[in-house]
Structure formats: C-alpha cells, structure tokens
Amino acid sequence: MIAHHVLFWLKADTTDDQKIAFRKGLQSLEHIETIKTIHIGTPAAIERTVVDTTYTFSLVLFFEDMAGHDVYQVHDVHEAFLDEFRPLFEKVVIYDAE
C-alpha cells in the first residue's frame, strides 16, 4: 500500500470561488482508477504545537502499490488538474509512505 499525502498552500489572493473550484478539481481525481481511497480536507481546528494548520487543502490518496501510484502521476485527469490549478499554488509539500 502506498499513501500519497499532498499539502497545498494556495496564494493569499486566492478567492473563495477559486477555492471552491480547487476542491472540485481535487474531487475529480477520484475518477483515476488506481486510487483506492481519497480524502480531501482543510485544517482541523486542533490547537497543538505539533500540528501544522497553515496549509489550505490536504489530499490523501491510497494506492495498492507503486505501479498504481505511477499510473496516477501521468494520468490525464491528474495532468488536467495540475494544468488548471498550478497557478494557484504558493507551496506544495508531498509525503509518500509505504
């Protein structure tokens, strides 16, 4: 099993409408057949010094194996998401775990 966790910091001038569109873009990724589980979220209201709540959106995907992850990386739906929304990214951090 491969966990692919992506944290997105969107630019400060991103509008609410752009954030709604961004979430819909993330949701479109669920149509990629190799994704076993998907979770899209925003920072939870948890106040602990070890919890980072500075990001805008969190995306967690689970794949059966590395081959599934590799299919996702070059999939047309993923590429379309990146092409449309990359201009909104201030910062992106990815954690992959097996």
Side-chain angles (χ1 to χ4, degrees), residues 44-54:
I46 298 172
E47 295 183 26
R48 295 177 50 214
T49 58
V50 297
V51 176
D52 181 357
T53 59
T54 63

Side-chain angles (χ1 to χ4, degrees), residues 5-93:
H5 190 180
V6 187
L7 298 172
F8 298 93
W9 285 259
L10 301 184
K11 293 178 181 175
D13 62 351
T14 303
T15 67
D16 288 342
D17 286 343
Q18 288 172 315
K19 288 177 183 175
I20 290 168
F22 188 85
R23 181 182 283 273
K24 287 180 182 177
L26 290 173
Q27 291 168 338
S28 75
L29 299 174
E30 70 185 353
H31 299 294
I32 299 173
E33 61 279 356
T34 60
I35 295 173
K36 298 301 178 191
T37 305
I38 183 171
H39 180 270
I40 299 163
T42 54
I46 298 172
E47 295 183 26
R48 295 177 50 214
T49 58
V50 297
V51 176
D52 181 357
T53 59
T54 63
Y55 62 91
T56 314
F57 283 96
S58 166
L59 172 69
V60 183
L61 304 174
F62 286 92
F63 302 95
E64 189 69 33
D65 51 26
M66 188 58 76
H69 171 272
D70 294 346
V71 167
Y72 160 80
Q73 288 298 332
V74 297
H75 197 283
D76 290 344
V77 173
H78 182 237
E79 293 291 332
F81 169 80
L82 292 174
D83 289 345
E84 182 173 355
F85 294 105
R86 187 177 279 128
L88 298 180
F89 299 175
E90 178 71 31
K91 174 183 170 182
V92 177
V93 175

